[in-house]
Amino acid sequence: MLTQIFDELLAAYGPQHWWPGNSPFEVMVGAILTQNTAWTNVEKAIANLKQQRYLAPQRILAIGEAALADCIRPAGYFNVKARRLTNFCSWYVEHGEYVALSAWTTHDLRLGLLSVNGVGPETADDILLYAFERPVFVIDAYTRRLFVRLGIVEDAWDYEMLRAHFEATLGGTDASDTALPALFNEYHALIVKHAKEACQKRPRCQQCVLTACCPSVKHNVEQSKTSTN
């Protein structure tokens, strides 16, 4: 079922070419800054970092949190995010940056990321998948909303249960499959695209390409008609 949904989303929207970023470190910074804000705001913050030539871990640590917060102001919660980004850069530099961390197992790298104050499961998995190209499926609000409506997962499942379900179903038992990161990357990007286009908080079922396999369609359409009467 998950493979069928992927095929239908890919046919409808085409490849999404995610994650936006010119380097692994830029992806990591974006993953931290995108917490609780729109990506357009993150782009402005990253543009500021580039303009000031701050987009490097050592430079971020050198300028201090106040200057960093001012630079990333467009991303919102800038004081909190400056602290989180500083925490991350301290950990990142201490452990040898990208080359050294690339040698870590996915399990150990995930535990290391989660040890950083301000890095939660979704942010850690964004970094693992998009910066380190590890076979980790990112779970976000869009994923939960879509697949609960499709009746494939339960709303009561926590983050780790959802992640394990997607990874086991799509990856089987071969977690070393080098094609998995690309699949997980594309699938997550397509979910975000579809959630923004059709499966919004108030669903646009008439525009949905998954109506044939969605048990929520009839209820959502009837609810929409009632609200407009």
Side-chain angles (χ1 to χ4, degrees), residues 41-122:
N41 297 328
V42 176
E43 288 180 320
K44 294 174 184 176
I46 290 178
N48 287 346
L49 290 170
K50 288 181 175 179
Q51 185 177 23
Q52 298 296 325
R53 298 185 179 179
Y54 291 158
L55 194 60
Q58 296 86 353
R59 291 286 291 153
I60 287 173
L61 292 173
I63 64 176
E65 286 187 20
L68 178 60
D70 187 60
C71 198
I72 63 171
R73 186 176 293 267
Y77 303 98
F78 44 89
N79 288 320
V80 173
K81 290 182 180 180
R83 189 173 309 115
R84 290 175 178 175
L85 192 51
T86 299
N87 291 341
F88 172 76
C89 288
S90 294
W91 176 86
Y92 186 66
V93 170
E94 179 183 350
H95 290 90
E97 302 183 37
Y98 190 82
V99 173
L101 289 169
S102 293
W104 291 24
T105 66
T106 299
H107 177 267
D108 289 345
L109 185 53
R110 190 170 195 266
L111 289 179
L113 289 166
L114 290 173
S115 74
V116 179
N117 191 297
V119 175
E122 184 181 335

Side-chain angles (χ1 to χ4, degrees), residues 7-182:
D7 291 340
E8 291 183 12
L9 291 176
L10 184 61
Y13 300 113
Q16 298 300 294
H17 306 293
W18 259 34
W19 178 299
N22 295 321
S23 70
F25 183 69
E26 184 176 332
V27 171
M28 298 176 209
V29 171
I32 293 169
L33 295 183
T34 198
Q35 297 173 12
N36 302 307
T37 194
W39 181 253
T40 52
N41 297 328
V42 176
E43 288 180 320
K44 294 174 184 176
I46 290 178
N48 287 346
L49 290 170
K50 288 181 175 179
Q51 185 177 23
Q52 298 296 325
R53 298 185 179 179
Y54 291 158
L55 194 60
Q58 296 86 353
R59 291 286 291 153
I60 287 173
L61 292 173
I63 64 176
E65 286 187 20
L68 178 60
D70 187 60
C71 198
I72 63 171
R73 186 176 293 267
Y77 303 98
F78 44 89
N79 288 320
V80 173
K81 290 182 180 180
R83 189 173 309 115
R84 290 175 178 175
L85 192 51
T86 299
N87 291 341
F88 172 76
C89 288
S90 294
W91 176 86
Y92 186 66
V93 170
E94 179 183 350
H95 290 90
E97 302 183 37
Y98 190 82
V99 173
L101 289 169
S102 293
W104 291 24
T105 66
T106 299
H107 177 267
D108 289 345
L109 185 53
R110 190 170 195 266
L111 289 179
L113 289 166
L114 290 173
S115 74
V116 179
N117 191 297
V119 175
E122 184 181 335
T123 301
D125 291 342
D126 278 336
I127 292 171
L128 284 167
L129 176 61
Y130 292 107
F132 288 95
E133 298 183 350
R134 301 301 178 91
V136 175
F137 202 94
V138 177
I139 302 298
D140 56 15
Y142 297 130
T143 306
R144 181 181 294 275
R145 179 200 304 162
L146 174 59
F147 287 93
V148 166
R149 285 175 175 170
L150 288 169
I152 294 174
V153 304
E154 298 179 18
D155 196 30
W157 290 7
D158 64 18
Y159 186 98
E160 296 304 329
M161 290 176 67
L162 287 166
R163 183 175 70 88
H165 176 76
F166 278 88
E167 290 177 8
T169 305
L170 293 170
T173 58
D174 187 8
S176 64
D177 188 343
T178 57
L180 286 180

